[in-house]
Structures are given as C-alpha cells and as structure tokens.
Amino acid sequence: AKNGTPVSSATSHTSQAKPKTQGRWQYHEQKKDKSGPWHDFEANISQSIEDAYESWLANPTVDVRDKKIAHKVYRFDFYQMAWSIVDSLAPKHRLRRVASDGKLAMDAGLLVAKQVLQERQHSQRQQLSRTGSRIFAHRLSSPAKPSGDGWIPVSEISQLQTGMMVRLMRQPISGYQYEHLDDFGQTGTICVMQGYPPVQLQYQDGRTYWCDYQDLEVPKVK
C-alpha cells in the first residue's frame, strides 16, 4: 500500500460489492510541495470510512474513529479531515469525501465541525469563568515525577493525540483550578486539543472537561 494507505485483505468478490451510499472517500498523495493527486480508497474501505463518518456526525464529541483494516489500525479524524496509522510515526494524510460526480460532498461535516468549534470555545470560556482560572501561557520548568503505578507525566503536548487514553493526576501541578476533586486520578479519552484549557477529556461516565496538558499522565510504554 502506498504511504501506508489502507488496502483491504478481503476477496475480490467482497471488494466489488456495491457501496451502501453515494459518498466515496479519497486520500491525498501529498508531495513535499504539498501538491499531488487524490486517489479513491477501495470500495469496501471507503464504505468503512463512510460508516465511521456517519458515526461521527451523530456523535462528534470525539473527533476520531479507529478502524482495523487488514493488520493495522487506522485513525480517521473527521474534524481535521485527516487519517493516520495508530502507533506509527508516519505523518497524517489528508482525507475528503466526494459524490458520484466527483464534486466535494462534505457539507454536513463542515457544518458539524463549525458547530463543534463554537460549542467547544463556549464551554472553555464558561469553565474558565466558573473556576476563576486565567489563560496560562506557561510551561512548567520541571514536570511532575512518575507516580510509580504505570503512568508517567506529560511534559510536552506533542505526546498527546486525539482518541488517546490519559489520566488526570491525583495532584495536578499546573495551577489550573479544577472544579471536581473527584476527577483527580480518573482516566478519560482525549476528545480534542485546542485553545485553553487545551485538552478536553471525556470521562468514563460520559462527562467532558477541559484540562491543562501538564496535569495529565499517559501509560508507561512497556
């Protein structure tokens, strides 16, 4: 597969099955000058992406959807319209949806993305107002020490990815004022990273909350 592009391991009979929708998905073969052609995914791969896209439209709290294709797990980010391979150092690739006539067919996705951005910015402002916290433009000179129970503190926001499981420290160190002390030590999934507080988590009970990345821990790689 070119650039790690998802390729089905299904039989030819399966790959020729008629897609359930009119929309089809394409990936961008990006060159150093950011030019390059767009290519169609295989029909059944495109349908898997379409299913994930419909899931995101219905519940856009978390931007990404993971799909196992052949022997790899691919992560599709419908907020940024990009895809990548999970646990890979390879860069993200652009993604788009087109209709049967080849024209872009992403109106629903663009509308949802706009609404999501407005809602997220509003919830950030509300949370800052409730907590009395200010927008910090700082980075701690020394991160927290490892907890010793299999989790290590985040020192750079680049360590984090949307869809990743993280834990809010038992004793946050950034100076940000959190409202719910019961959240300390709780795990959650990263929904998005933008603005301040920069990381929105979704806890196991479905609640979402914005956190300073310096108060988060990630599982230690064995």
Side-chain angles (χ1 to χ4, degrees):
K2 189 179 294 184
N3 295 326
T5 305
V7 175
S8 172
S9 60
T11 64
S12 59
H13 174 75
T14 302
S15 64
Q16 293 174 0
K18 184 178 179 181
K20 292 184 294 184
T21 69
Q22 293 295 318
R24 73 176 190 271
W25 288 86
Q26 297 180 326
Y27 63 93
H28 187 238
E29 186 182 335
Q30 185 170 310
K31 299 181 180 179
K32 291 183 178 180
D33 60 359
K34 296 187 178 180
S35 65
W38 288 87
H39 301 283
D40 287 344
F41 285 98
E42 292 181 17
N44 58 324
I45 301 299
S46 182
Q47 186 58 57
S48 292
I49 302 173
E50 181 73 11
D51 293 342
Y53 177 67
E54 292 292 339
S55 170
W56 175 74
L57 290 177
N59 181 19
T61 302
V62 180
D63 293 337
V64 301
R65 296 293 188 275
D66 290 350
K67 285 281 185 178
K68 187 173 183 179
I69 301 173
H71 302 295
K72 296 180 181 179
V73 178
Y74 293 84
R75 178 161 291 162
F76 298 96
D77 185 334
F78 296 111
Y79 185 78
Q80 297 184 5
M81 281 295 164
W83 66 271
S84 60
I85 303 174
V86 174
D87 296 329
S88 170
L89 298 178
K92 289 184 178 180
H93 299 278
R94 293 164 62 193
L95 185 70
R96 73 179 185 183
R97 183 179 186 267
V98 299
S100 57
D101 58 4
K103 294 182 179 179
L104 287 178
M106 298 194 298
D107 287 351
L110 293 173
L111 178 60
V112 167
K114 181 179 179 180
Q115 293 173 337
V116 165
L117 175 61
Q118 293 174 340
E119 291 171 358
R120 287 170 176 171
Q121 291 175 333
H122 179 65
S123 68
Q124 283 174 318
R125 290 193 296 268
Q126 282 191 319
Q127 187 173 310
L128 286 170
S129 177
R130 289 196 309 269
T131 62
S133 296
R134 293 177 296 174
I135 295 178
F136 297 119
H138 75 293
R139 177 167 171 261
L140 297 174
S141 57
S142 57
K145 295 180 180 179
S147 59
D149 60 354
W151 294 81
I152 57 176
V154 173
S155 57
E156 299 281 352
I157 198 168
S158 59
Q159 294 174 244
L160 304 176
Q161 296 181 27
T162 306
M164 179 183 287
M165 179 72 72
V166 296
R167 185 173 75 176
L168 182 60
M169 292 178 179
R170 294 190 176 93
Q171 295 182 327
I173 60 175
S174 71
Y176 183 78
Q177 302 298 311
Y178 292 90
E179 298 174 84
H180 311 293
L181 300 184
D182 290 344
D183 289 345
F184 296 168
Q186 297 297 315
T187 59
T189 302
I190 297 178
C191 301
V192 66
M193 295 185 292
Q194 65 183 45
Y196 191 87
V199 182
Q200 187 185 48
L201 298 186
Q202 183 175 45
Y203 293 110
Q204 294 179 350
D205 61 6
R207 291 181 301 111
T208 58
Y209 200 80
W210 294 93
C211 305
D212 191 305
Y213 78 90
Q214 297 171 113
D215 295 327
L216 300 178
E217 298 170 312
V218 294
K220 185 177 181 179
V221 179
K222 296 181 180 180

